[in-house]
Amino acid sequence: MHGGSRSLFNMLITERHWQDFEVFVRKYRQAAKELAESEGPASLATATVSEWQFTRWVRGETRRPHRDARRILAYLFRPIPVGNLFAPPLSVPADTRGSVTEDDRGESGAEELGREEDMVTDAASESAEWAARVESSNVGPHTMEQLEADIRRIVTTYPNRPVEPLFHEVRGLRNRAFELLEGRQPPHFTSDLYVAAGVLCGILANASFDLGRYEAAETQARTAFMCAELAGHNGLRAWVRGLQALVAYWGGRAAVAVRLADSGADFSPESGTAHIRLASIKARAYGQLNHSTEAITALRDAENMRELLTDGDDLPGGMMAFPFEKQRFYASSTHLWLGPAHLEEAEAAADEAVSMFESAPPQKRRLGEMSLARMDLALARLGRGEIEGAAHQVHAVLESNSRRGTESVRKRLSHFTSTLAQHPSSTSPTAIGLREALLAHQHRSTPTLPCGGSQ
C-alpha cells in the first residue's frame, strides 16, 4: 500500500486487511454487483476501480469520488457515510461516523439545484481525473534513453558473446519493454517502445536460431514483426523479414526464403543496409535451389545497392547491420551452392571476408560470421584440392566455436565432415587428424536454449 495522509478510508481498509489492491478491487466489484441487483441500475454490476484511482484514495488525493463510486463505497462501508471516508479519523465525530448525511442519502433527498450542482461537479471531476490519467506516464525520456542504451550495447556485443547468458539478459529487457507498453505513456513513447520490443524479440529470435530452436525463432520473429507493424517502422519490418528468410534458408526451405526476402523488399527503410541483406539472402536461397541466373542477379543487385549506400542503418547497428564483409561471405556461400565452376569466385569472396573480419579488434570480432566465412573458404579450398589450407581454416573455427557455439556453424562443420570423408585426400594424415578433431568437437558442443549470432 502506498503511503499518504491517514484517513478513515485508510484505517478501515487496514482493519479489514484490504490494503492490497487485488483484495480491495474484489470487494469493490462484489459490492457493485450486489448494489446493481438490489437497487440498480444493472450497468452498475460491471463497475470497477483502477489501481491508479485506488492509490489516489489511499493517498487522500480525492475527497469526492464520482457518483457511482460514492454509491458503491457507501454500500461497501455501510453505515459509514462516504463524506467521512476521506477525512482523518479523529476529525470525524464518533456519533457521525455511522450517520447518514444529506450528501449520502441520495439525490432523491436533495433539491433540484443540488442535483444540478452534483451533476456539474461530477462531470468536472470526471474530466479532471481523465486528464490526470492521460497526462501521467510510466515512461519518460530517461526510461527510453536507458532502454535504447541497453539495446545498443547488446546488439554491439552480441556477435562476440556466448549466446546462452545473453539470452537471459535480452529476455529480461524484452519483459521490461512489454510491461512499459501495458502502462500509459504519450503516443511518441508508445511507438518507440514498440520498436524497442520488436528489436528485443528480433534478438531473441536470432538467439533461438543460433541455439538451433527454429520454431521458437519463428515465433519470436512473428512477434517482432507485429511490433514493427504497430510502430510503423519499415527498417524493422525489412530486418525481421530477412531474419525469417534466414531461418527458412537454414531449415532447407529455400523457396520460402526467397518469398520472405521479396516480401521484405516491399518495405523501404529510411536508410541502411536492410535491402542489401535481403538481396544477399535471396542470392544464397537461389543458390540452394541451383537457380544460377537468379542467384547471380541477386548478388549484383546487392552490389549495386552497396554502391548507392550513403547513410547508416535506422536500426541500432551491431548485429542488425549488414557490413560489407558479411555481404562477401554471403556471396561465397552462393557461389559454393552453384558448383565446381564457381569455386574460384567462392574462394576469393570468402578469403576477402575472413581478412576483413580478422582486421577488427578481438573484442569486436563477429565470431559466428567469421567462422561461417572460414567454412566457406575451407570448402572452396578443399574443392580445389588444398587440404592443408582447408584444415587451417577449420581448426580456427573449432577453437572459436568452443567459446561461442551456434547451430549454423555446427551444421557447416557437419557438412564439411561429410564432404571430407568423400574427398580423394581423405586418407592423408592431415585429413585423418582433421576428421578426428571434428568428431571430438561434435561430441562436446551442442548449443541448448536456456529454460523459460546473426548469421
Side-chain angles (χ1 to χ4, degrees):
M1 189 176 87
H2 298 276
S5 58
R6 186 72 173 169
S7 65
L8 184 59
F9 178 84
N10 267 314
M11 186 185 77
L12 291 172
I13 64 173
T14 300
E15 289 175 351
R16 301 179 187 193
H17 305 291
W18 296 353
Q19 305 100 309
D20 184 78
F21 170 70
E22 296 299 331
V23 174
F24 179 83
V25 76
R26 285 197 298 271
K27 298 292 184 182
Y28 186 92
R29 288 170 178 167
Q30 182 61 36
K33 290 178 183 178
E34 293 175 5
L35 192 58
E37 292 172 0
S38 62
E39 299 182 20
S43 61
L44 204 62
T46 59
T48 188
V49 61
S50 68
E51 186 169 7
W52 171 83
Q53 183 60 68
F54 173 68
T55 302
R56 293 191 70 207
W57 290 346
V58 171
R59 289 175 174 170
E61 295 174 1
T62 299
R63 292 298 177 129
R64 185 181 178 85
H66 65 75
R67 183 174 54 194
D68 286 347
R70 286 203 309 275
R71 289 188 62 203
I72 296 167
L73 288 171
Y75 182 84
L76 183 61
F77 291 102
R78 60 189 186 280
I80 300 171
V82 174
N84 294 347
L85 282 177
F86 299 103
L90 296 179
S91 70
V92 180
D95 59 352
T96 64
R97 289 182 191 175
S99 65
V100 179
T101 66
E102 181 176 319
D103 181 58
D104 297 300
R105 281 195 299 267
E107 293 180 354
S108 59
E111 298 294 332
E112 183 69 23
L113 180 60
R115 289 200 302 270
E116 290 178 1
E117 287 178 350
D118 281 350
M119 178 179 66
V120 173
T121 301
D122 285 347
S125 177
E126 290 162 0
S127 295
E129 289 178 4
W130 178 86
R133 289 198 302 272
V134 171
E135 187 179 44
S136 66
S137 174
N138 64 326
V139 179
H142 175 76
T143 304
M144 284 308 308
E145 286 174 10
Q146 184 60 54
L147 184 59
E148 290 166 356
D150 288 335
I151 289 172
R152 284 194 301 273
R153 174 177 50 79
I154 285 170
V155 298
T156 301
T157 60
Y158 182 100
N160 196 263
R161 292 174 59 187
V163 179
E164 291 185 34
L166 182 138
F167 190 97
H168 292 289
E169 182 181 359
V170 178
R171 185 182 184 185
L173 275 177
R174 180 212 57 183
N175 291 346
R176 173 64 175 150
F178 284 172
E179 288 170 4
L180 291 172
L181 278 167
E182 290 174 358
R184 183 177 291 107
Q185 62 279 147
H188 67 281
F189 282 142
T190 301
S191 178
D192 291 344
L193 281 173
Y194 276 124
V195 172
V199 168
L200 290 165
C201 285
I203 298 170
L204 287 176
N206 207 122
S208 301
F209 168 58
D210 278 343
L211 293 166
R213 299 291 293 273
Y214 287 13
E215 289 185 3
E218 289 174 337
T219 298
Q220 295 282 8
R222 282 191 290 271
T223 305
F225 190 81
M226 183 193 73
C227 290
E229 292 273 85
L230 291 169
H233 196 290
N234 275 353
L236 186 54
R237 286 181 176 119
W239 187 85
V240 174
R241 280 290 187 252
L243 178 59
Q244 292 173 315
L246 275 176
V247 175
Y249 165 79
W250 283 99
R253 297 176 292 138
V256 175
V258 169
R259 178 176 58 79
L260 287 165
D262 282 336
S263 172
D266 292 337
F267 303 107
S268 299
E270 295 297 321
S271 58
T273 57
H275 280 192
I276 302 173
R277 176 172 175 257
L278 286 166
S280 298
I281 294 168
K282 185 162 70 169
R284 287 209 291 182
Y286 272 132
Q288 194 176 55
L289 292 167
N290 200 29
H291 292 179
S292 176
T293 301
E294 291 86 348
I296 298 302
T297 298
L299 287 179
R300 288 174 180 163
D301 289 342
E303 291 168 1
N304 292 335
M305 283 186 275
R306 178 70 65 177
E307 290 177 1
L308 297 173
L309 185 66
T310 57
D311 298 321
D313 287 275
D314 54 0
L315 290 167
M319 61 170 285
M320 305 191 79
F322 192 73
F324 181 66
E325 54 267 38
K326 195 167 178 179
Q327 182 179 348
R328 292 302 289 151
F329 106 70
Y330 274 44
S332 68
S333 298
T334 303
H335 286 297
L336 282 174
W337 279 115
L338 297 178
H342 291 258
L343 283 178
E344 185 175 348
E345 291 94 335
E347 183 177 5
D351 194 28
E352 184 178 10
V354 169
S355 296
M356 294 180 72
F357 280 127
E358 285 183 320
S359 67
Q363 69 275 16
K364 292 186 177 180
R365 284 181 184 162
R366 294 170 172 253
L367 298 180
E369 296 159 13
M370 182 166 63
S371 291
L372 290 170
R374 286 189 186 280
M375 293 308 302
D376 279 356
L377 185 54
L379 281 166
R381 287 180 174 170
L382 185 65
R384 290 165 64 94
E386 299 177 16
I387 185 67
E388 296 288 345
H392 173 74
Q393 297 301 323
V394 174
H395 281 299
V397 171
L398 294 178
E399 180 184 355
S400 175
N401 202 53
S402 296
R403 292 181 284 122
R404 186 186 186 276
T406 67
E407 174 69 6
S408 301
V409 174
R410 187 196 65 77
K411 279 192 170 186
R412 295 302 303 278
L413 287 168
S414 178
H415 173 65
F416 184 90
T417 303
S418 301
T419 304
L420 179 63
Q422 300 170 12
H423 197 268
S425 62
S426 61
T427 57
S428 69
T430 299
I432 292 172
L434 183 56
R435 188 163 58 251
E436 289 176 351
L438 283 162
L439 291 173
H441 179 79
Q442 180 181 349
H443 286 303
R444 65 174 179 264
S445 59
T446 303
T448 57
L449 186 66
C451 294
S454 175
Q455 308 302 343

